Amino acid sequence: MWTKEDIAKIVKDNKIVVFGKGTKEQPMCGFTHRAVAIMTQIGEPFEVVNIFDDESIRPALVEYSEWPTTPQLFINGEFIGGSDTAMEMFESGELKQKVDQA
């Protein structure tokens, strides 16, 4: 059973992490695919946690971030947002800057 403390540990232990539907190699929704594609294009190593691996991940994630949807992107412990926010930040150059500062 996942808890928000489990989510906090993953966020703390990984410079960049995406919680989404599916894996880095096989995203299982368009929004997760977009988030993975953006982070792949930036070129820094990142982790993906598949929320389908255990049904208790998603509620713990929502409790931790106070954000109801996935994917969820965290950089250097900071919740960035979902794929729409990541795309806007990517297009403006702000996301690369945030990754470089992490």
Side-chain angles (χ1 to χ4, degrees):
M1 178 73 122
W2 283 65
T3 66
K4 75 178 192 178
E5 288 76 19
D6 297 321
I7 302 295
K9 180 167 177 21
I10 289 173
V11 168
K12 180 180 177 253
D13 290 349
N14 294 281
K15 179 177 159 182
I16 302 168
V17 63
V18 175
F19 289 85
K21 297 174 181 172
T23 64
K24 193 183 301 188
E25 297 76 21
Q26 191 172 21
M28 298 178 78
C29 83
F31 296 110
T32 298
H33 183 272
R34 181 169 32 173
V36 167
I38 290 166
M39 295 316 301
T40 299
Q41 193 165 351
I42 286 181
E44 288 292 322
F46 66 99
E47 296 299 320
V48 174
V49 175
N50 182 359
I51 66 164
F52 290 149
D53 281 348
D54 184 310
E55 65 184 29
S56 67
I57 295 174
R58 189 170 187 280
L61 177 64
V62 169
E63 182 182 359
Y64 176 79
S65 67
E66 299 180 354
W67 190 260
T69 60
T70 58
Q72 292 188 18
L73 170 63
F74 294 83
I75 298 174
N76 208 29
E78 178 186 352
F79 174 58
I80 302 302
S83 64
D84 290 345
T85 303
M87 179 59 86
E88 290 170 12
M89 291 176 69
F90 176 73
E91 290 173 343
S92 73
E94 186 181 355
L95 191 62
K96 174 82 167 107
Q97 186 178 31
K98 193 162 279 289
V99 168
D100 289 346
Q101 292 170 353

